[in-house]
Amino acid sequence: MSRSKALQYYILSRLLLAPIMLWFITTLVFLLLRATPGDPVDAIYGARASAAAKEELRRQLGLDLPLGLQYLNYMGDLLRLDLGTSLTSRGQTVWQIIGQYFPATVELTVFSMLVALGIGITIGTLAASRPNSPLDAGGRLFGILTYSIPAFWAGMLMQLVFAVQLGWFPLGTRFSISAIPPNGPTGLYILDSLLNGNINQFLISLHHLALPCFTLGILLSGIFERIVRVNLKQTLKADYVEAARARGIPERRILIAHALKNALIPVITILGLTFAALLGGAVLTEVTFSWPGLGNRLYEAITLRDYPTVQGVVVFFAAIVAIASIAIDILNAYVDPRIRY
Amino acid sequence: MNYPKLLSKRWQRLSQFFGLFSLCFLLVVSCASQTTTQNSTLGGASNPRVNIGTTLKVRTLDPADSYEIASGNLLYNLGDRLYTYRSGTTELTPQLATALPTISDDKLTYTIPLRQGVLFHDGTSFNAEAMAFSLNRFMENEGTPAFLLKDIVESVNATGEYELTIKLQQPFAAFPELLTFPGTAAISPQAYQIGTGQFKPDTFVGTGPYKLAQFGTDVIRLDVFEDYWGEKPQNQGVDIQLFTSSSNLFNAFRTRAIDVASGTLDSEQIKSLEKETQRQGWQEITADGNSVNYMVLNVNSEPLNRVEVRQALAAIVDRNILNQRVLQDLAEPLYSLIPDTFPSHKPVFEQYGDGNAEKAKQLLTQAGFSQANPAVVEIWYSSNSTKRSLVASTLKAIADQKMDGILQLELKSVESTTAFQNLDKGIYPTFLLDWYADYFDPDNYIQPFLDCNEGSATEGCKVGASQNHGSFYYNTEVVNLIRQQRQETDRDRRYAILGQIQDILARDVPFIPMWLDRDYAFAQKGINGVRLEPTQKLLFSSISK
């Protein structure tokens, strides 16, 4: 079988596996949520309403139905891409919730990843280019520190220094309260403000985004720094690098064009998965920075036992992870000719 | 291979470029936005709108489904009800009504004259039909607070263009007070539908001084309603910024990003702001709160089925120590379930004293307990409340130090949602809880705790309010007294009945009142008219810059 044929089969099998994976995750979330004590009625009412009022509300919300029937109803809706309606914000569909909150998460994720890649690759390359030097040791230390520092703690520290003490950045939220946020098709303030040609809105958006995205970016950069450093060190010892040197190719070109390019292949995998995981809600960062993203909203929904919202958002995240991992595999297959199926 | 030599120049340049770029980026972003930031702060006199920061979450703005403090406060400012409280007082005053209701001799029919010339935010005229629609929708849409009216009201009808007639199922003296509940606000029949589950969580079309301009994920904007029938707001609009944590709210206020901080600041943050108030020119606004914090005792559980044990627990609770050590002197000791803001309040638990170990020992000995046979009581609290965790630990420390082993308290915690599922099943011997009133009347601090529909003295409450609360307390006399005070329209006689109920409460101890949360808000220098109402509401229209 030719390589392209094998790749096609591989992609097809991955695509066929994705719905099974989504079904498994959905079922698992459905069952786990029901196994958790309490329900939305308890979360909303507390001890304030009579048992009759609580039962009535459960009946309305369909929580009185047998578990199997609830599951069948939910899966039936899911097949029609209907994620249901929130139990706590009644009248609001889960798709509306996703539409409201997801752009903020995307914005934070994309910019954090850019920061993480920039810092991680730079420090990793610098450290790998000077093995066993103080720079190398510094790179290692940076990688370990950024990987191990808790996001909420780093976030609070960054806020304290840059927002409270220095006053350089605003505290939390996506946009200045005293200005009208950009209104556009994407819901991404940075992009919408540019589409509207409004530089002031763009700068305000950037100003509000800077601190959370730098915090998250720096914390994530450690992963990339370590991968780049380790892989680049190994790659620089590879035969093809020696061959390139023997052909008289300049050393800096060998490093940048040959070694670094190959050393970045694992970064693609990690990048994709980290990106997908972040889209799955950088909950701690969002909570720390009062960033109104989907992770923050999911946390609220879990607290309130809002089953449809939790299930819908998790399925949505799972779909993103599935698509991302398939995309990574395809990309890796094209980038790395050594990969076989 | 000597990479350092080969690459040092290149990396140097790269590092310099990257460093310079980062620095420029930071400077450009922070400097370019300084203008905006300044405009959003007090320096920005050009922004006449008031910025309020809060941590309270708004689940829905639909009055028929709203049952939280945050949404209640918004509805209070966005809408009008038949009755409200005169600002700064607990005096009932007509709002969309023009007078207090005329009550029939059998105390079941309330006739309410309505205000004319009132417009909804969508331009629709307000009349009795619209008010009847609003109240019927509140009941028929089966939202979370629907039971408040459904359990009491028989029918709501427009009996004239500006006359509303409400028939009750049984007499209820506090009915006008119930009509101040934010969810009973008038809403436009053009914008809403009646029908089970027909809710609009992110819109509001009422008659209040503000109309909803934006219901965002992290900001809620209210614009002044130009056609408001009453007094115009003192500001040109209100922007509410929603923070996910109290530390963000605290820091946002300190950095002057918001004009008013209102919400769940914790004790340390309040203390910290208090210290800075004078130096920074901030204003601290406090009000007697009406959030009652209490311990519920399951009278069906061992050893709490012995009244002496319950009384002993009441005796060792040291409210002053709790206030000093845990609540940082930001709360008020509470000696009855009815807060002292009501004239009918009777500090009945004072008879037990605070941390009165001698009395507690005496009571426990009387009940047959000793060091060899101690009374062991589990103190349960919500695991997501640091405050209650500390309160429980302090209670245990008091018992350990003062009770010579005759009373042993064991601390247990559970997540609040799980707790509420199990509270009425009798799983917890005790639980530390709080309660905020639905409407400002002593009945709302008594009936939901002590009433019972079905039960007996031997088996306790099987169905009813006291079972919901996890107490299972049943006392025929109390049930009758609750019914009596609900029907009694003579104020003095009603207070006397409420006094009797409180006496029995202290004698039988199904609940131990512990403390009353005070309400706090902070305002920047130059912000005027910030007031916390006795009803726990923050009035927006009086705030000016």
Side-chain angles (χ1 to χ4, degrees):
Chain A
M1 196 186 292
S2 69
R3 182 178 151 75
S4 63
K5 204 86 169 155
L7 184 61
Q8 280 172 22
Y9 278 119
Y10 173 74
I11 292 167
L12 190 68
S13 67
R14 292 300 315 269
L15 287 171
L16 288 172
L17 275 172
I20 297 168
M21 188 187 81
L22 288 177
W23 167 79
F24 180 76
I25 289 169
T26 309
T27 306
L28 194 68
V29 172
F30 181 92
L31 293 172
L32 283 174
L33 272 173
R34 264 77 180 172
T36 312
D39 61 28
V41 175
D42 295 313
I44 293 167
Y45 274 138
R48 302 182 78 80
S50 66
K54 285 185 178 183
E55 277 314 306
E56 175 56 29
L57 188 56
R58 280 195 187 95
R59 191 190 57 74
Q60 276 180 53
L61 300 176
L63 300 173
D64 61 329
L65 297 171
L67 197 65
L69 196 55
Q70 283 187 48
Y71 177 72
L72 286 174
N73 287 342
Y74 182 68
M75 292 311 285
D77 289 342
L78 202 60
L79 286 172
R80 294 193 300 274
L81 295 181
D82 178 2
L83 297 180
T85 304
S86 167
L87 295 185
T88 50
S89 301
R90 288 198 280 173
Q92 192 174 36
T93 66
V94 176
W95 278 120
Q96 283 175 325
I97 290 170
I98 290 169
Q100 256 187 322
Y101 289 87
F102 191 54
T105 298
V106 171
E107 205 161 50
L108 180 64
T109 301
V110 169
F111 282 88
S112 300
M113 291 305 289
L114 290 175
V115 171
L117 281 172
I119 295 171
I121 292 171
T122 306
I123 294 175
T125 310
L126 279 170
S129 68
R130 299 181 181 208
N132 305 318
S133 68
L135 197 65
D136 188 18
R140 285 181 199 203
L141 190 67
F142 175 83
I144 293 164
L145 276 176
T146 51
Y147 191 70
S148 57
I149 290 173
F152 72 91
W153 185 80
M156 284 166 74
L157 208 66
M158 295 282 274
Q159 279 186 323
L160 213 59
V161 174
F162 293 104
V164 179
Q165 298 298 330
L166 298 171
W168 288 1
F169 296 99
L171 267 154
T173 69
R174 286 181 80 191
F175 206 77
S176 169
I177 196 167
S178 61
I180 301 298
N183 192 10
T186 65
L188 308 170
Y189 286 178
I190 298 274
L191 200 58
D192 287 342
S193 56
L194 288 174
L195 290 172
N196 296 339
N198 192 325
I199 293 299
N200 191 43
Q201 282 184 340
F202 172 75
L203 286 172
I204 296 169
S205 304
L206 211 56
H207 192 211
H208 280 254
L209 180 65
L211 202 56
C213 95
F214 264 97
T215 306
L216 197 55
I218 288 166
L219 293 178
L220 290 170
S221 64
I223 304 167
F224 298 114
E225 185 276 336
R226 289 167 77 180
I227 290 163
V228 169
R229 183 169 48 79
V230 170
N231 278 286
L232 194 56
K233 272 183 178 178
Q234 283 180 339
T235 312
L236 287 170
K237 293 172 189 167
D239 291 346
Y240 80 91
V241 172
E242 288 299 325
R245 286 190 189 117
R247 288 200 301 275
I249 297 170
E251 201 59 44
R252 66 181 180 191
R253 201 174 153 203
I254 288 172
L255 181 77
I256 305 296
H258 295 267
L260 187 60
K261 186 183 158 188
N262 283 328
L264 287 180
I265 289 171
V267 171
I268 295 169
T269 309
I270 298 295
L271 173 73
L273 291 174
T274 310
F275 191 76
L278 279 181
L279 286 178
V283 180
L284 283 175
T285 311
E286 287 182 3
V287 170
T288 306
F289 284 96
S290 289
W291 193 258
L294 201 52
N296 213 337
R297 186 66 180 78
L298 176 64
Y299 172 73
E300 272 176 48
I302 292 168
T303 311
L304 293 168
R305 306 288 194 278
D306 189 345
Y307 301 151
T309 305
V310 176
Q311 286 159 188
V313 171
V314 169
V315 168
F316 180 72
F317 284 156
I320 288 171
V321 173
I323 291 162
S325 61
I326 292 167
I328 291 159
D329 287 343
I330 295 165
L331 195 64
N332 270 335
Y334 279 111
V335 169
D336 191 350
R338 295 166 301 179
I339 292 174
R340 293 280 177 272
Y341 303 102
Chain B
M1 199 50 52
N2 193 352
Y3 282 107
K5 273 188 180 177
L6 285 161
L7 297 167
S8 61
K9 272 191 177 180
R10 178 186 176 81
W11 286 121
Q12 240 172 15
R13 262 185 272 138
L14 248 169
S15 311
Q16 282 169 355
F17 171 78
F18 185 75
L20 203 63
F21 174 79
S22 302
L23 191 69
C24 288
F25 174 80
L26 283 171
L27 283 170
V28 165
V29 167
S30 54
C31 293
S33 310
Q34 285 293 324
T35 338
T36 321
T37 310
Q38 279 164 9
N39 284 347
S40 70
T41 64
L42 288 175
S46 57
N47 177 28
R49 296 171 68 91
V50 172
N51 300 334
I52 298 171
T54 184
T55 52
L56 297 170
K57 290 185 172 52
V58 183
R59 184 177 57 86
T60 178
L61 273 181
D62 194 310
D65 197 34
S66 159
Y67 200 36
E68 292 84 22
I69 293 174
S71 48
N73 196 57
L74 272 167
L75 292 175
Y76 175 77
N77 284 285
L78 281 163
D80 293 325
R81 293 144 303 281
L82 287 168
Y83 298 100
T84 189
Y85 292 98
R86 197 176 297 284
S87 185
T89 72
T90 56
E91 186 192 334
L92 200 67
T93 183
Q95 194 171 31
L96 286 175
T98 53
L100 288 171
T102 306
I103 308 166
S104 64
D105 292 341
D106 62 3
K107 299 173 187 173
L108 289 173
T109 306
Y110 283 65
T111 308
I112 301 167
L114 302 182
R115 193 174 293 281
Q116 299 183 28
V118 175
L119 287 176
F120 284 105
H121 299 155
D122 62 357
T124 309
S125 293
F126 167 80
N127 55 23
E129 288 288 352
M131 194 67 232
F133 168 87
S134 306
L135 295 178
N136 282 320
R137 183 178 179 271
F138 182 89
M139 293 186 286
E140 290 175 38
N141 281 34
E142 305 277 4
T144 38
F147 71 96
L148 289 173
L149 284 188
K150 265 181 78 176
D151 291 354
I152 289 161
V153 174
E154 178 73 45
S155 65
V156 181
N157 290 300
T159 46
E161 195 177 1
Y162 293 102
E163 185 186 84
L164 191 74
T165 301
I166 303 175
K167 283 195 164 61
L168 305 189
Q169 296 168 25
Q170 63 270 329
F172 182 42
F175 186 64
E177 281 78 7
L178 178 56
L179 292 174
T180 65
F181 180 73
T184 63
I187 46 171
S188 170
Q190 306 300 320
Y192 295 88
Q193 296 83 39
I194 290 182
T196 304
Q198 296 279 309
F199 297 111
K200 291 191 169 182
D202 51 3
T203 58
F204 182 79
V205 185
T207 61
Y210 294 99
K211 56 184 179 184
L212 185 70
Q214 188 197 345
F215 186 69
T217 52
D218 59 349
V219 68
I220 297 170
R221 293 182 200 279
L222 315 184
D223 287 345
V224 172
F225 179 43
E226 297 301 337
D227 296 323
Y228 184 55
W229 59 269
E231 201 180 320
K232 293 282 184 294
Q234 300 291 302
N235 50 64
Q236 291 189 29
V238 174
D239 298 322
I240 300 154
Q241 194 153 1
L242 309 171
F243 294 95
T244 52
S245 69
S246 61
S247 59
N248 277 353
L249 174 63
F250 170 73
N251 286 326
F253 182 78
R254 283 173 64 205
T255 55
R256 298 175 181 266
I258 51 172
D259 299 331
V260 180
S262 155
T264 50
L265 287 166
D266 65 36
S267 306
E268 287 79 8
Q269 289 161 344
I270 292 170
K271 281 287 176 191
S272 172
L273 291 177
E274 273 182 344
K275 279 180 199 162
E276 294 280 304
T277 296
Q278 205 152 13
R279 197 171 62 85
Q280 301 277 7
W282 295 333
Q283 303 159 64
E284 181 185 11
I285 300 99
T286 66
D288 290 338
N290 287 294
S291 261
V292 169
N293 291 267
Y294 62 94
M295 189 195 291
V296 56
L297 309 180
N298 182 345
V299 300
N300 285 347
S301 69
E302 285 278 356
L304 295 168
N305 51 357
R306 306 288 304 271
V307 71
E308 296 90 346
V309 179
R310 301 201 297 271
Q311 290 172 339
L313 269 180
I316 66 143
V317 170
D318 192 333
R319 293 164 183 81
N320 299 317
I321 292 278
L322 291 177
N323 199 13
Q324 285 163 23
R325 304 276 172 87
V326 181
L327 308 165
Q328 311 240 0
D329 285 324
L330 298 174
E332 287 173 48
L334 183 67
Y335 297 94
S336 172
L337 282 176
I338 298 176
D340 58 7
T341 41
F342 293 97
S344 52
H345 164 81
K346 252 178 116 173
V348 286
F349 275 78
E350 279 181 351
Q351 63 185 278
Y352 294 108
D354 281 294
N356 190 341
E358 290 313 309
K359 191 178 181 77
K361 283 180 205 168
Q362 182 198 326
L363 286 160
L364 289 170
T365 309
Q366 205 177 302
F369 293 99
S370 62
Q371 285 179 330
N373 174 36
V376 181
V377 180
E378 289 178 359
I379 305 290
W380 285 79
Y381 59 91
S382 167
S383 56
N384 29 5
S385 170
T386 312
K387 191 196 284 182
R388 284 186 185 79
S389 161
L390 290 170
V391 166
S393 304
T394 309
L395 288 175
K396 181 174 163 51
I398 293 167
D400 289 349
Q401 277 179 26
K402 293 184 170 182
M403 293 300 291
D404 304 329
I406 195 169
L407 174 68
Q408 290 176 14
L409 301 184
E410 293 179 354
L411 306 189
K412 307 244 171 174
S413 68
V414 64
E415 194 225 11
S416 57
T417 308
T418 309
F420 290 128
Q421 186 185 32
N422 296 324
L423 205 58
D424 60 0
K425 295 179 179 66
I427 287 172
Y428 310 115
T430 68
F431 215 101
L432 294 171
L433 291 164
D434 67 344
W435 175 266
Y436 55 90
D438 296 322
Y439 51 96
F440 202 67
D441 186 86
D443 172 78
N444 203 230
Y445 292 91
I446 290 291
Q447 188 273 337
F449 291 85
L450 301 169
D451 202 3
C452 186
N453 302 335
E454 193 185 308
S456 66
T458 50
E459 292 180 326
C461 182
K462 286 183 172 177
V463 180
S466 105
Q467 175 242 348
N468 294 336
H469 266 86
S471 164
F472 300 89
Y473 173 69
Y474 182 85
N475 183 325
T476 315
E477 188 188 359
V478 169
V479 170
N480 290 333
L481 286 170
I482 287 170
R483 302 279 189 278
Q484 279 177 43
Q485 67 83 21
R486 287 193 129 202
Q487 295 177 21
E488 185 55 70
T489 47
D490 181 86
R491 200 181 62 172
D492 293 338
R493 279 205 292 269
R494 188 165 178 242
Y495 286 176
I497 298 168
L498 286 165
Q500 277 179 270
I501 294 170
Q502 289 171 91
D503 289 336
I504 299 169
L505 166 75
R507 187 194 67 201
D508 293 350
V509 198
F511 297 90
I512 302 172
M514 296 173 82
W515 78 90
L516 204 57
D517 282 322
R518 283 183 69 77
D519 291 335
Y520 284 85
F522 289 88
Q524 302 283 2
K525 191 178 180 179
I527 303 294
N528 304 309
V530 181
R531 280 203 301 263
L532 284 166
E533 299 293 326
T535 51
Q536 291 189 286
K537 302 288 189 290
L538 177 69
L539 186 69
F540 297 163
S541 59
S542 62
I543 305 173
S544 63
K545 291 176 85 160

